[in-house]
Amino acid sequence: MSTTSKAPLRTLLAAFLGWMFDGMEMGIFPLVARPALQSMAGGLPAETFVQHWMGIITAFFLLGAAAGGLVFGWLGDRIGRVKAMTWSILVYSLCTGLCFFATQPWHLAALRSVAALGMGGEWALGVALVMETWPEKKRPLMAAFIGAAANIGYMVVAVIGLSFPKLDWRWIMVVGAAPAVLTFFIRLFVPESEKWAAQKPRRDMSPLREIFSPPLLRHTLLAIAFSSVPLIVTWGIVQWIPLWAGQLGGGQSGKWAQLFTAGGATLGSLLAPLVGGLIGRRPTYAGLCVLSIGACAGLFLGVHEFGNLFLLAAGVVGLFTAAFYGWLPLYLPELFPTRVRATGQGLAFNSGRLLAALGAWQSGQLMGFFHNSYARAGMTIALVYLVGLTVIWFGPETKNKPLPE
């Protein structure tokens, strides 16, 4: 096999591993949040302290990810997908590893926010690189692989936690530094996007200015809306499911809940873009909104104690609520031309995290309003899918259409 023919496989492997490790980084904190924050509570009411700081740290993480999507997306359009992706992975891996030294909750908030810069950037860069390298008919399959990658990372973290139950939370954070090794593989073996290279001489306009100017402005605002709906639910409540399981069952309950949620999410992320390739992007998104509301209702309204039913319901919630993360890497690249693709999809995806950050910031207060009931707070947040069910019909149907140049 020639070097040229190997290029698509190398770009897919780099993007898959980068997003899988990204998922590991995101999955680490929900897994270790309770023991980490409890160790820092200093005699304060533990559950209230955990919920308060979980909301703050999640909000800082999402703000960092939103900024990272913009900064690294812009870099990807300016200096190339590969160079920018290398730096994004290095940032998130090293900062996660540095959490080993945290002694106060604000240390975790600061390090998680900087790590999130890299995580937010890696998604936009990896998606742009893969979609610009592989042929049009393979795009749904490529989106499936990328969408599943992060959830496989979540599963890996859960398996590590279950396999080493006595492992201190600090050492689990050290595992998060491992992706730094991936940067050497990317720089040595992954070629730059030929589509981006061909556009390079024409990059005389600011990518950010262009996506906020007609005719792309409408696509940018719609892409932000499509991304925001699933992100608000994911970070507003789905990320809290391991904490809820720990509250109900104690012991290893949170790790088992994360494993089942991530397992369902992996399957959903694989299937959603394939369905989108068959029946269209808009009907798939609308169907996922309906199914996600139903899945959340089943868990939050129908399950009241930790056990097999809880795990099954958590898996179904993961299946449908995370399926959007297979759909988004299929659809968002189809809204922006090559010269601004990384900036456009990076800003759109991570602007959703800005709105999700506001929800996460208020999650502690929302929990208090519902008397620390994860179930009631979760069902309330899940109603945002009704917004998605409406706005998707204002977007263009891009099935069987080439990427815009």
Side-chain angles (χ1 to χ4, degrees):
M1 185 180 288
S2 67
T3 301
T4 302
S5 63
K6 290 180 181 178
L9 291 175
R10 289 175 177 175
T11 58
L12 177 60
L13 181 61
F16 180 89
L17 291 176
W19 193 227
M20 185 192 78
F21 285 129
D22 203 332
M24 285 181 59
E25 311 291 337
M26 289 186 285
I28 281 175
F29 191 71
L31 196 67
V32 305
R34 184 174 296 279
L37 292 171
Q38 284 177 339
S39 70
M40 301 174 184
L44 297 172
E47 189 61 33
T48 302
F49 186 85
V50 168
Q51 291 182 355
H52 172 74
W53 276 104
M54 179 68 174
I56 291 175
I57 293 169
T58 300
F60 270 88
F61 174 87
L62 291 168
L63 290 172
L70 178 58
V71 171
F72 281 101
W74 180 86
L75 276 176
D77 285 329
R78 284 297 187 185
I79 68 173
R81 308 339 189 180
V82 173
K83 290 181 181 178
M85 186 164 67
T86 300
W87 282 106
S88 70
I89 294 172
L90 198 61
V91 166
Y92 76 61
S93 57
L94 294 182
C95 288
T96 298
L98 287 173
C99 288
F100 175 89
F101 300 102
T103 58
Q104 299 292 330
W106 70 266
H107 295 167
L108 292 173
L111 287 168
R112 289 289 286 168
S113 66
V114 179
L117 288 170
M119 295 185 213
E122 197 283 332
W123 185 89
L125 297 164
V127 170
L129 184 62
V130 170
M131 293 304 175
E132 291 169 2
T133 303
W134 284 79
E136 177 187 336
K137 64 181 180 180
K138 298 289 186 181
R139 288 208 305 263
L141 184 60
M142 295 304 103
F145 286 141
I146 295 173
N151 295 301
I152 292 174
Y154 272 89
M155 292 177 66
V156 169
V157 170
V159 169
I160 291 172
L162 288 167
S163 302
F164 303 96
K166 302 297 184 181
L167 186 63
D168 185 79
W169 67 268
R170 295 182 185 277
W171 289 106
I172 295 179
M173 301 302 286
V174 170
V175 173
V181 179
L182 179 61
T183 60
F184 297 101
F185 160 78
I186 292 174
R187 290 309 304 270
L188 288 174
F189 299 108
V190 179
E192 186 53 79
S193 163
E194 292 182 1
K195 286 181 179 289
W196 175 82
Q199 293 282 339
K200 192 174 181 180
R202 298 168 50 192
R203 294 179 300 117
D204 55 349
M205 182 178 180
S206 165
L208 186 61
R209 187 184 305 122
E210 185 169 352
I211 64 173
F212 279 111
S213 302
L216 291 181
L217 175 60
R218 183 171 183 272
H219 282 187
T220 300
L221 296 178
L222 285 171
I224 290 172
F226 302 150
S227 302
S228 297
V229 169
L231 282 163
I232 288 171
V233 176
T234 294
W235 291 99
I237 196 61
V238 175
Q239 284 284 314
W240 294 60
I241 289 176
L243 280 176
W244 182 27
Q247 181 192 59
L248 293 176
Q252 301 283 75
S253 303
K255 296 170 185 176
W256 280 109
Q258 180 161 321
L259 182 62
F260 273 75
T261 304
T266 301
L267 180 59
S269 298
L270 281 170
L271 292 176
L274 300 179
V275 174
L278 290 174
I279 69 172
R281 285 33 165 177
R282 296 191 301 178
T284 300
Y285 187 97
L288 289 176
C289 287
V290 173
L291 292 169
S292 294
I293 292 176
C296 288
L299 175 62
F300 297 129
L301 301 182
V303 181
H304 307 291
E305 60 184 20
F306 182 81
N308 291 336
L309 182 59
F310 183 102
L311 292 174
L312 177 61
V316 174
V317 166
L319 173 70
F320 294 121
T321 62
F324 292 93
Y325 304 119
W327 182 91
L328 287 167
L330 173 65
Y331 189 66
L332 294 190
E334 298 171 337
L335 298 180
F336 300 99
T338 301
R339 63 186 177 275
V340 295
R341 182 167 293 122
T343 301
Q345 65 188 22
L347 181 135
F349 185 80
N350 290 293
S351 290
R353 283 176 162 157
L354 277 176
L355 296 175
L358 295 176
W361 188 281
Q362 296 301 316
S363 290
Q365 286 73 18
L366 188 62
M367 291 294 181
F369 179 79
F370 287 119
H371 306 290
N372 292 330
S373 171
Y374 289 92
R376 294 170 64 187
M379 197 60 232
T380 301
I381 292 172
L383 294 177
V384 75
Y385 285 120
L386 297 175
V387 176
L389 192 57
T390 302
V391 297
I392 186 57
W393 302 110
F394 293 93
E397 179 54 67
T398 54
K399 179 186 174 185
N400 296 329
K401 293 182 179 179
L403 287 177
E405 295 295 335

